[in-house]
Amino acid sequence: MADNSRQAILDQLRRTTLEPVALPDLRGPWTTSDDPRRQFAEVLAAVGGRAITVGSLAEVNAELEKIPAYQNARQICSRVAGIARANVDLDAAGDPHDLEKVDFFIAPGEFGVAENAAVWVTDESIKHRVLYFLTQHLALVVPARELVSNMHEAYQRVKLGQRQFGLFLSGPSKTADIEQSLVIGAHGARSLTAFLVES
Amino acid sequence: MGTAVRSHPLEAADFVANDSRMHWHDKALWFVRAKRDKAAASVPEWEQLREAASQIKLHTLSRLPEYLEEFERNATRLGAVVHWARDAEDHNRIVLEILKKHGIRRIVKSKSMLTEECHLNPHLEKNGIEVVDTDLGERIVQFRNEPPSHIVLPAIHIKKEEVGELFHDRLGTEKGASDPTYLTEAARGHLRDKFMNAEAGMTGVNFAVAETGGVVVCTNEGNADLGVSLPRIHIACMGIEKLVPRTQDLAVFTRLLARSATGQPITTYTSHFHGPIPGGELHIVLVDNGRSQFRESEEYRSSLKCIRCGACLNTCPIFRRSGGHSYHAVIPGPIGSVLAPLREPKKYYSLPYACSLCGSCSDVCPVKIPLHQMLLTWRGDLAAQKALPWTKRAMMKCGSLVLRNTWMYTLAGKLARTFMPWMPRWTLYNPLNAWGKHREVPSFPPHSFRELYRKRQQKNHGR
Ligand code: SF4
C-alpha cells in the first residue's frame, strides 16, 4: 500500500520533465557586521533577551546571582563547568519528564549570529534536549569570539547530516496570538540570557 | 465536493457589517505588514535573497523526484521512517496507523497547515484519540471549533475579551479578565499539562534538506519542540514541495521567513531534526495531495514555491477587510485564492475576484510568486472552464460586446447621459447591482469626452 503511493507519486512527478533551473550560487558577498558583539546584544535585547559580556567563565556565577529568577530558582541544572549552585544532575534523569521542575538551565552555546541573535545549540552534550524548552529560564554561555555575521556564515559552520538535534535559539519563548500583544514566556523559557565570554 | 459555497462577496459582507471590527482587523494586520517592511529594509541584499529563494525552489521543483529520493535515503540512514501519502486520506491513515501501533490515545500537535488541509483532527478524534493543538492561537480556535483564519496568526480575528470569555469557560480564568499576559499564562499552565501527558507529538515542517535528510521546524512559542521532546514519538508531516537541496539554502530561507511573516529577524526556535530522539522514533510523512498535478501546470506551478509566511495576507486590502474565514478555504488570502481553485474551481470561482489587482502581494512575497498575475490568469481560465455562475458570465459577455463595438459604446453612453438623470433611483441602486451598494454614481456630464474633444479640435482648426 505504502509502496504503491511512493511509486505513484514518483511516477506522476516523472511524467512531466521541467526545464532545468540552475541552483543559485550563495557565496555572496553578503552584508557582514562591523561589530558583531554589539549587534548581537542589540538584536537580542530587541527580541526580549539579554546579552552580558564577561571577562572569563568565573564571572558568570556573579552575574547569575544578580538575576532575580536565578536567586529564586530552586532547581538549577548546568552543562557549563563551575556553576556553583547547580543541583540537578542531568545524567541521573532517566526520563525527560523528570526535568519538569527545573527553574534555571545553563547551557553552552557553540556560536552566535549577529544579524538575529540566534545561538546554535545541540543535544550533543545534553542528554535530554527537552531542557532547552522545559526550563523556566535559560542562560547560554558563548565564547565572545565565536560570533558570525549572518546565517550564510552560520550554516557554513554547522555540520548537518549526523544524527543530532540542533537548534538556532534567538531570545525567550514568545507569542502575540492574542490581539498581537507580545507576551514573553509562551511555552518555553521565560527569559534568555546570553553570556559572551571574552577569554 | 465541488458544489459552490457562498461567494466571497457574500461572506465578506457579514464581516464588513461590523464596521469597527473590520477596521480593527485591518489595522492589526497593517501593523504586522509595517513590521515586515522595516525588517526587509534592514537587509541590504533583500532582493538578492528573494531571487535566490525563488531560484532554489524552482530548481528543486524541476528535479523533485530525485531530491525526494535523496532525502528519503538520508533520512532513513539517520533512523527516521519515511512514509509516502498520495492524498489526504492516505496521510490520515498513515498517521492513525502509527498511533494505533503504539496504542497512543493522547497527542499534541504544533501548527501545520498540511494537517488542516488533510482534516486530520476530526479523523483522529473519530478514532478515539485526543488531539491538542498547542500553538496558542490554534488552541484558541480549536476551543471555538473554528478553523484558523490566518496561516501564521490563527486567531487574529478574535478580540482579547472573547479570548477571556473562552478561557473563563474552558480554563477557569477570572470572569472578565482579558489581559493577554494573564491569559497566555493560563494557557501555558493548561498546555504544560497536555505536554507532560502526551504520548506522541506531531509537527509540520518548514524545510526539509535533501542532502542531509533532516527537517527544520520554525516556531516562536517553543510548542513544537516541547511536543516532540517529551514523548518518544515524533510524526512530522510535510508537503513534497518543502524540500530544499542543500544546508546552505536554509540560510536564504531563514533570513526571509520570519522577517516576512512578523518582522522578526528569525523565529525564536529554528529546530533541525536529524533522526529520532535517542530511544524514540521519527516518522516523516511526505504528502502529495495534488501537488504533483499543480507542478504540471505552467501557469500555477510557481505557487508551489510558497513558504507560508503570510505576508501576502497581511498586505492584501481585501483580506484585511474581509477576514480569513470569508474565503472558506484552508489557506485564505492571495495565495489561498490561487491554490483553492486548483482543487475545486466551481466551489472557489469567486476567490480570484477577491482581488483589486493592486499587486502588493507579489511585491512582498519572499519567493517572488507573481500572485496578482496568477489571479488575473485564473479569471480567464475559470471563464473558459465555465466555472463561473451564469449571472457573472452574462455580465461579462455584455460588457465585452459593448466594449468591442465603438457604436454600441457611444450609443450606451449617450443613452445613459440622456436618460439616467431622469430615471427613478431603483433602476441603478437595486440588489442586482453590487457596485451600487456602498457607492453613488457621480452625476452624468452633459457631454462625453469624445464629444468635447471633437468640439475642441474643430475650434482649433477654425482659428
Ligand atoms: S505566497 Fe509568498 S507571501 Fe504569500 S504566504 Fe506564500 S511565500 Fe508568503
Side-chain angles (χ1 to χ4, degrees):
Chain A
M1 188 91 175
D3 269 352
N4 286 345
S5 294
R6 179 182 188 278
Q7 206 48 52
I9 293 170
L10 290 171
D11 286 349
Q12 169 97 22
L13 289 171
R14 291 211 160 99
R15 236 175 52 186
T16 326
T17 317
L18 302 185
E19 250 176 65
V21 180
L23 258 182
D25 179 354
L26 298 178
R27 276 173 302 185
W30 307 105
T31 307
T32 53
S33 180
D34 307 331
D35 186 351
R37 214 180 291 181
R38 210 191 66 211
Q39 193 183 0
F40 180 91
E42 280 173 7
V43 177
L44 187 55
V47 298
R50 195 170 147 224
I52 299 172
T53 303
V54 289
S56 69
L57 206 52
E59 287 170 40
V60 172
N61 269 311
E63 285 299 330
L64 277 171
E65 289 296 347
K66 293 185 202 157
I67 301 172
Y70 189 78
Q71 293 161 6
N72 300 326
R74 277 197 299 265
Q75 291 201 5
I76 297 172
C77 181
S78 171
R79 267 311 197 208
V80 176
I83 299 300
R85 281 182 45 208
N87 59 6
V88 175
D89 181 5
L90 193 51
D91 295 321
D95 186 286
H97 294 83
D98 299 346
L99 301 164
E100 187 189 1
K101 295 272 174 326
V102 171
D103 297 300
F104 218 108
F105 177 41
I106 301 116
E110 238 172 74
F111 66 93
V113 187
E115 74 160 320
N116 55 23
V119 175
W120 178 252
V121 296
T122 70
D123 65 352
E124 205 175 277
S125 71
I126 89 162
K127 193 170 144 202
H128 299 294
R129 70 188 191 204
V130 76
L131 210 41
Y132 290 120
F133 318 102
L134 201 57
T135 181
Q136 297 292 331
H137 300 270
L138 180 61
L140 297 174
V141 180
V142 188
R145 59 176 186 284
E146 304 291 346
L147 291 180
V148 298
S149 283
N150 55 49
M151 290 309 283
H152 307 284
E153 293 174 17
Y155 276 111
Q156 297 281 3
R157 284 197 57 161
V158 301
K159 292 277 163 287
L160 300 183
Q162 307 304 310
R163 188 163 167 170
Q164 190 184 54
F165 172 77
L167 168 70
F168 280 112
L169 209 167
S170 167
S173 156
K174 57 181 80 64
T175 182
D177 272 349
I178 302 176
E179 281 204 14
Q180 282 303 296
S181 307
L182 180 69
V183 180
I184 302 280
H187 297 297
R190 299 171 188 273
S191 76
L192 182 110
T193 314
F195 290 103
L196 301 177
V197 187
E198 282 180 321
S199 63
Chain B
M1 293 273 252
T3 45
V5 284
R6 287 173 80 208
S7 68
H8 183 266
L10 285 176
E11 289 292 337
D14 297 345
F15 190 82
V16 173
N18 188 337
D19 193 61
S20 69
R21 194 189 193 91
M22 177 190 78
H23 285 294
W24 166 80
H25 188 262
D26 177 15
K27 260 206 210 129
L29 287 160
W30 189 252
F31 173 67
V32 185
R33 157 79 209 261
K35 283 199 294 186
R36 173 256 167 225
D37 287 352
K38 226 177 118 190
S42 75
V43 179
E45 57 261 29
W46 187 254
E47 288 307 315
Q48 217 179 316
L49 288 170
R50 287 177 76 213
E51 186 55 40
S54 170
Q55 293 296 108
I56 294 167
K57 284 283 184 179
L58 287 177
H59 168 85
T60 316
L61 283 172
S62 75
R63 305 193 38 194
L64 195 52
E66 290 75 30
Y67 281 130
L68 283 168
E69 285 171 329
E70 185 185 350
F71 173 76
E72 182 188 39
R73 254 194 326 274
N74 286 323
T76 311
R77 174 176 57 80
L78 296 172
V81 184
V82 177
H83 308 259
W84 300 69
R86 252 162 125 162
D87 51 27
E89 233 172 76
D90 230 9
H91 163 264
N92 293 351
R93 185 183 48 75
I94 291 168
V95 173
L96 183 63
E97 267 170 19
I98 299 169
L99 297 176
K100 274 204 166 145
K101 197 177 117 201
H102 293 278
I104 288 169
R105 311 211 62 107
R106 293 179 306 271
I107 69 163
V108 284
K109 194 167 137 268
S110 73
K111 200 159 67 223
S112 145
M113 290 315 293
L114 180 66
T115 56
E116 290 285 332
E117 174 186 317
C118 296
H119 302 290
L120 177 72
N121 287 17
H123 180 73
L124 294 183
E125 282 160 3
K126 219 170 51 207
N127 284 282
I129 291 165
E130 183 197 56
V131 187
V132 175
D133 282 319
T134 54
D135 173 85
L136 176 58
E138 289 240 308
R139 188 62 177 150
I140 294 170
V141 295
Q142 189 182 32
F143 273 149
R144 285 166 56 110
N145 258 321
E146 277 179 355
S149 75
H150 186 294
I151 59 179
V152 174
L153 318 160
I156 186 79
H157 62 293
I158 303 165
K159 296 208 166 190
K160 58 178 189 234
E161 290 78 13
E162 292 165 319
V163 179
E165 277 294 302
L166 187 71
F167 280 14
H168 172 68
D169 283 352
R170 297 303 193 109
L171 307 179
T173 53
E174 258 170 74
K175 189 149 186 65
S178 66
D179 173 48
T181 306
Y182 169 73
L183 295 174
T184 302
E185 185 62 32
R188 178 182 170 107
H190 157 71
L191 286 166
R192 279 251 156 173
D193 214 48
K194 297 290 180 191
F195 283 124
M196 290 303 288
N197 289 301
E199 296 160 304
M202 283 190 71
T203 65
V205 167
N206 289 91
F207 311 104
V209 187
E211 71 173 8
T212 70
V215 296
V216 179
V217 180
C218 308
T219 68
N220 280 322
E221 299 183 2
N223 55 318
D225 298 288
L226 263 180
V228 299
S229 301
L230 283 166
R232 286 178 49 250
I233 292 164
H234 174 185
I235 306 173
C237 300
M238 58 177 270
I240 51 176
E241 83 284 15
K242 296 288 178 204
L243 226 50
V244 299
R246 310 165 294 188
T247 302
Q248 274 305 303
D249 300 324
L250 293 173
V252 175
F253 290 103
T254 50
R255 295 190 79 190
L256 288 167
L257 178 63
R259 288 187 174 99
S260 298
T262 55
Q264 294 169 260
I266 190 170
T267 46
T268 302
Y269 304 99
T270 307
S271 304
H272 304 62
F273 298 93
H274 284 83
I277 197 166
E281 292 177 19
L282 169 62
H283 295 268
I284 303 172
V285 189
L286 302 172
V287 186
D288 181 345
N289 204 29
R291 287 162 176 79
S292 56
Q293 273 135 7
F294 299 173
R295 178 173 164 275
E296 288 171 7
S297 148
E298 202 60 55
E299 290 82 12
Y300 307 110
R301 175 180 312 132
S302 78
S303 63
L304 290 173
K305 293 191 287 183
C306 177
I307 56 171
R308 305 283 189 265
C309 73
C312 59
L313 282 62
N314 302 339
T315 200
C316 177
I318 314 286
F319 180 88
R320 279 187 276 119
R321 291 176 184 79
S322 61
H325 288 158
S326 66
Y327 292 76
H328 264 289
V330 176
I331 299 178
I335 181 64
S337 303
V338 169
L339 294 174
L342 278 167
R343 290 184 190 286
E344 292 176 79
K346 282 224 161 71
K347 182 170 172 183
Y348 293 116
Y349 78 89
S350 70
L351 296 189
Y353 292 89
C355 167
S356 65
L357 298 178
C358 73
S360 181
C361 47
S362 310
D363 286 346
V364 297
C365 177
V367 288
K368 296 185 100 170
I369 301 173
L371 291 156
H372 73 293
Q373 281 162 21
M374 284 186 183
L375 290 170
L376 184 61
T377 310
W378 257 131
R379 297 182 190 184
D381 284 356
L382 288 168
Q385 288 180 27
K386 302 221 180 328
L388 303 180
W390 71 268
T391 40
K392 201 159 193 118
R393 263 185 282 159
M395 296 260 281
M396 299 274 194
K397 280 232 169 76
C398 268
S400 133
L401 192 70
V402 173
L403 289 172
R404 266 183 294 139
N405 290 288
T406 319
W407 69 269
M408 274 195 212
Y409 182 77
T410 317
L411 181 70
K414 206 166 241 159
L415 289 174
R417 281 194 306 282
T418 319
F419 293 109
M420 278 330 275
W422 308 100
M423 297 291 271
R425 195 175 155 78
W426 62 261
T427 50
L428 257 192
Y429 303 94
N430 61 48
L432 280 179
N433 177 17
W435 288 89
K437 252 183 227 158
H438 303 283
R439 304 177 185 82
E440 286 287 322
V441 174
S443 50
F444 286 92
H447 301 287
S448 73
F449 172 78
R450 282 146 61 96
E451 286 168 357
L452 291 174
Y453 187 73
R454 206 174 308 127
K455 245 191 221 144
R456 208 180 111 112
Q457 292 292 89
Q458 278 165 4
K459 226 168 63 197
N460 286 353
H461 283 294
R463 244 196 254 152

